[in-house]
Amino acid sequence: GAAVRRGLALASGDFVIIQDADLEYDPNDYLPMLRRLLQGGVDVVYGSRYLRPGLGLVRGFVAAKHPNQSWAAYLGGRSLSLACWLACGIRITDTVTALKLFPRDVVCPLPLETTGFELDHEITARLAAQGRRFAEVPVAYFPRSRAEGKKIGFRDFLRALRTFRRYRRG
């Protein structure tokens, strides 16, 4: 989170994209995200690992888990999407995605406070409180295991819940 805040402070272009450096996401997905943002009607575009158009609710939920992703990580992420909807009023399939695109003038002025993984949730909650319009684009995902360096855990899940609650009004 601290690194993202530092990057936002130094950003100078028209757009800002946030992506984890752990190679779980494919930079080729930047273009569809940018195309969606430039189409208009939205302020923010999130890359969704779980968006499966045309499959329906149950089949889409089951099919969205990636083969190498743990059930704990999958269900935790999906639960946080539900928590985001309940706390912030926005429906996003993948609020914990590490691939987010913003116009710089939308994200950089946010008075961000958190410094850990919960920064993602603070940004989402603050933008939702401003009435920003969100869109999602399906993206490729190559999950890592704990043995490969995955660090997020149950404490981060609890911090995320608190963060959505804390910043849901801006």
Side-chain angles (χ1 to χ4, degrees), residues 41-57:
V42 300
D43 303 301
V44 178
V45 177
Y46 283 11
S48 175
R49 301 167 288 176
Y50 306 130
L51 196 59
R52 301 288 187 267
L55 289 184
L57 183 63

Side-chain angles (χ1 to χ4, degrees), residues 78-152:
R78 298 309 298 260
S79 297
L80 288 175
S81 291
L82 177 62
C84 180
W85 176 46
L86 295 173
C88 305
I90 57 169
R91 292 183 185 175
I92 299 175
T93 63
D94 193 5
T95 61
V96 296
T97 182
L99 193 54
K100 298 175 171 76
L101 173 65
F102 315 89
R104 184 173 57 88
D105 62 350
V106 167
V107 71
C108 288
L110 294 175
L112 301 173
E113 299 173 350
T114 58
T115 59
F117 288 118
E118 69 274 15
L119 182 70
D120 280 337
H121 314 299
E122 180 185 356
I123 290 171
T124 300
R126 286 186 182 276
L127 292 174
Q130 291 179 354
R132 299 293 182 172
R133 297 161 300 170
F134 290 73
E136 292 183 288
V137 171
V139 296
Y141 179 56
F142 310 97
R144 294 181 309 140
S145 67
R146 283 208 175 276
E148 295 169 308
K150 192 78 168 175
K151 295 176 187 73
I152 201 152

Side-chain angles (χ1 to χ4, degrees), residues 9-50:
L10 297 172
S12 60
D14 294 332
F15 303 101
V16 173
I17 195 156
I18 298 173
Q19 176 176 343
D20 281 356
D22 59 8
L23 304 177
E24 287 187 324
Y25 294 86
D26 185 348
N28 289 312
D29 288 322
Y30 295 174
L31 291 177
M33 293 175 70
L34 183 59
R35 276 194 293 272
R36 178 60 189 101
L37 187 64
L38 294 175
Q39 281 177 357
V42 300
D43 303 301
V44 178
V45 177
Y46 283 11
S48 175
R49 301 167 288 176
Y50 306 130

